[in-house]
Amino acid sequence: MAVTAKHYAEIYRQFQAPISKRYDCGKKCAPHNGGVPVCCDIDNAIPIVDKPEWSLLKSRTDLWQRLKPTTPSQRREVKSLEDSESCAIKCKGAAHCERDNRSLACRSFPYFPYFDPKGNLVGLAHYWAFEGQCWVIANPMIVDQAFVTEMVASHEYMFRHDKKWHETYVEFSASMRRVFSRRKKKFAVLGRDGGYFWVLPHSGGKMIPAKAEDLARLGKMFPEDPATDANAAA
Ligand code: SF4
Ligand code: SF4
């Protein structure tokens, strides 16, 4: 069975929570990216949707269009999708964003559903390629529990209807463990029922509880950020 446009409509209905009610994180990263939030900048992140999601978006709004590549990297990306079930799209830009018509990737960024080695969906982990650009990754304690809960529930709904997506994230989670083991570094997981965990390198995916104050030491991202407490930087 595969996810249809109808399923995506239900996923959108279930997953509306902002990443943080207290922070407009776009205001944190945009000043360091020519005034555009990093995840809304086609030069940094090309939105990829599968065809049923694209059908749904087209039926709801004219916010999006198929990406007509203008740079070598965009051309490569579009070409790589030619024979696939997905396509690259582009919105009208952050100034024209329509909350209800954001793609699932927009709603989820910078997180993906993280599976432990036994195949349990234990929470959310971040797209590590955006470390150093996405302020949220360096400040995970600002993420609201409502966001985590809705993201997990809507993805579980998706996985019930599409085993392929389930497998994709199981494999992506394993890739993250391999990458961080090579780096000899732990990474943070936002627990699906609250709380934080570290996944330790070279441990077979062992998770230990992490304190919010330890996460606050993850990274001073921009020069204007306080060194250890993002909550002071509302
Ligand atoms: S999620 Fe990350 S990259 Fe996107 S607007 Fe927020 S801080 Fe910027
Ligand atoms: S739809 Fe909104 S959140 Fe998604 S890329 Fe466009 S401006 Fe950003």
Side-chain angles (χ1 to χ4, degrees), residues 112-140:
F112 68 91
Y114 176 76
F115 287 85
D116 71 11
K118 290 189 177 144
N120 302 308
L121 201 180
V122 289
L124 307 180
H126 63 276
Y127 287 108
W128 61 93
F130 288 90
E131 287 175 1
Q133 288 180 291
C134 171
W135 179 81
V136 172
I137 293 175
N139 296 280

Side-chain angles (χ1 to χ4, degrees), residues 1-3 115 156-171:
M1 202 155 75
V3 188
F115 287 85
E156 283 186 322
Y157 172 84
M158 176 198 235
F159 300 148
R160 279 199 295 280
H161 293 92
D162 196 326
K163 295 273 173 275
K164 211 164 52 103
W165 273 116
H166 177 264
E167 278 316 300
T168 298
Y169 287 114
V170 167
E171 282 165 21

Side-chain angles (χ1 to χ4, degrees), residues 36 39-49 54 57-58 61-71 74 77-78 81 87-94 96-98 101-103 105-106:
V36 183
C39 58
C40 302
D41 178 356
I42 198 85
D43 290 333
N44 279 310
I46 298 176
I48 311 286
V49 289
W54 178 223
L57 285 171
K58 276 192 296 187
T61 178
D62 65 355
L63 174 67
W64 296 93
Q65 55 173 272
R66 285 287 279 261
L67 174 66
K68 296 187 187 81
T70 55
T71 64
Q74 289 176 7
E77 184 74 48
V78 168
L81 296 169
C87 59
I89 58 174
K90 181 186 175 182
C91 76
K92 289 180 180 169
H96 306 280
C97 190
E98 297 169 13
N101 292 320
R102 291 168 303 146
S103 69
C106 299

